Amino acid sequence: MKIFIDTAKLEEIKQAYSLGILDGVTTNPSLIKKTVDELKAKGEKVDMESYIKEILTLAKGTPVSLEVIGTSHQDMVKEGKRLYEKFNPVASNVYIKIPVNPALDDKSEAAFDGIKAVKELSDAGIPVNCTLIFTPEQALLAAKAGAKFVSPFAGRVDDFIRTNHNISFEKTDYFPAEGTKKEEKLLEDNGVVSGVDLIAQISEVFNVHDITETEVLAASIRSARQAREAALSGADIATLPFDVIRELLMHSKTIEGMNKFVGDVVEEYSELVK
Ligand code: G3P
């Protein structure tokens, strides 16, 4: 499974790339807001264009997703092309992120606009990451429209199931991949029992139907365990916040073992090694 970093923070991207294990970057308007707010709070001026160019240069050779902000087919296509034309020449690694359905309410006519935009941009040779996926069928349509990545939001599925059943939780609380029961009943969202289950179902649909041109990019991952479960469920990629990448390396017995090794070094061995 490839690992992307889910952030717009340059420092985090720099540090993660220095490990030599990173395969890409994903951003979205909320992550960009978080970064801009932080920079402004430090009194720094933000030159967004140079900032994004720096991210692209750092990530050279690996994909960087930049999201549109429009909610109509025309706006998303216009913005997607604009972003691609402006930024892809920097390092040839821009993917355009398009919401699968940009409607702001159930009745909106915009329901088809995401898929239309995915299709038009893909047909124009622009790689698309289709985002805000919450059902296998959304992922299927995005793949049919030519998306290179589909992004199921695993953590938010878990949030949705817990909220709908009045279960209180913190954003990073573990939610079992196999779902959870309340009053003996398995909780679900229209047949999806957890965010990891959504990833598994999408992977299965893609396998059964031999969909090979679209990769499953597990997003909204809040813990190392969820990242592991995404890998076990067939995700091709997981995009992880910086802290989750760090958490992938954590185990108290590793730390305990290190302390023991460091404490047990004898001079004779040390002289040889140093
Ligand atoms: O990649 C999507 C991600 O940024 C959303 O994460 O934790 O806010 O649901 P989260």
Side-chain angles (χ1 to χ4, degrees):
M1 183 176 73
K2 286 177 264 188
I3 295 181
F4 288 9
I5 187 164
D6 195 29
T7 187
K9 290 185 192 166
L10 209 49
E11 275 318 307
E12 291 185 347
I13 295 171
K14 240 184 236 173
Q15 212 180 323
Y17 270 95
S18 74
L19 302 174
I21 50 89
L22 212 64
D23 303 297
V25 181
T26 49
T27 68
N28 63 40
S30 307
L31 293 170
I32 288 182
K33 178 181 185 320
K34 211 167 156 187
T35 303
V36 168
D37 287 350
E38 269 184 36
L39 291 171
K40 283 187 182 161
K42 284 196 254 167
E44 289 179 34
K45 225 175 146 263
V46 189
D47 172 352
M48 205 68 235
E49 186 170 334
S50 322
Y51 194 90
I52 290 176
K53 285 182 172 166
E54 237 183 292
I55 294 178
L56 297 170
T57 308
L58 262 170
K60 197 173 167 58
T62 62
V64 177
S65 295
L66 302 175
E67 189 157 340
V68 297
I69 53 177
T71 55
S72 72
H73 158 245
Q74 290 88 339
D75 286 349
M76 290 189 289
V77 168
K78 195 173 76 195
E79 292 165 7
K81 286 186 172 166
R82 185 153 187 252
L83 284 169
Y84 192 75
E85 277 154 23
K86 186 186 271 296
F87 291 112
N88 197 54
V90 177
S92 304
N93 55 353
V94 171
Y95 277 54
I96 298 299
K97 229 172 166 185
I98 301 286
V100 68
N101 173 355
L104 298 176
D105 63 65
D106 297 1
K107 293 183 187 61
S108 166
E109 293 297 317
F112 292 113
D113 285 27
I115 289 298
K116 275 162 71 180
V118 173
K119 175 82 178 132
E120 194 167 331
L121 291 170
S122 302
D123 284 352
I126 296 177
V128 172
N129 173 355
C130 189
T131 190
L132 284 173
I133 300 275
F134 286 90
T135 69
E137 49 275 21
Q138 287 177 328
L140 180 63
L141 291 190
K144 285 180 76 77
K148 289 287 173 207
F149 300 151
V150 288
S151 294
F153 274 33
R156 291 195 196 179
V157 172
D158 302 341
D159 296 350
F160 188 63
I161 291 173
R162 286 180 284 205
T163 306
N164 282 345
H165 293 90
N166 301 316
I167 299 171
S168 58
F169 62 95
E170 298 290 330
K171 198 174 166 183
T172 52
D173 285 351
Y174 178 68
F175 188 84
E178 67 280 11
T180 196
K181 285 186 176 169
K182 196 173 176 187
E183 287 148 17
E184 301 298 305
K185 215 175 150 265
L186 184 63
L187 307 182
E188 43 134 13
D189 172 33
N190 193 24
V192 171
V193 301
S194 69
V196 169
D197 181 40
L198 173 62
I199 296 165
Q201 290 196 30
I202 295 171
S203 302
E204 193 178 339
V205 169
F206 283 14
N207 284 339
V208 167
H209 295 284
D210 206 20
I211 295 170
T212 53
E213 298 296 311
T214 309
E215 292 185 281
V216 180
L217 192 168
S220 181
I221 299 288
R222 276 80 174 273
S223 69
R225 183 162 173 188
Q226 200 177 30
R228 176 208 308 163
E229 289 171 348
L232 287 167
S233 306
D236 300 290
I237 307 161
T239 189
L240 309 176
F242 183 82
D243 287 345
V244 174
I245 294 179
R246 190 170 182 279
E247 196 196 326
L248 297 180
L249 292 165
M250 291 302 159
H251 196 283
S252 60
K253 291 297 280 183
T254 304
I255 292 174
E256 183 191 297
M258 260 322 286
N259 278 289
K260 178 93 176 99
F261 288 156
V262 167
D264 284 345
V265 174
V266 291
E267 217 178 292
E268 293 81 345
Y269 188 61
S270 166
E271 274 166 14
L272 203 65
V273 174
K274 283 192 179 167

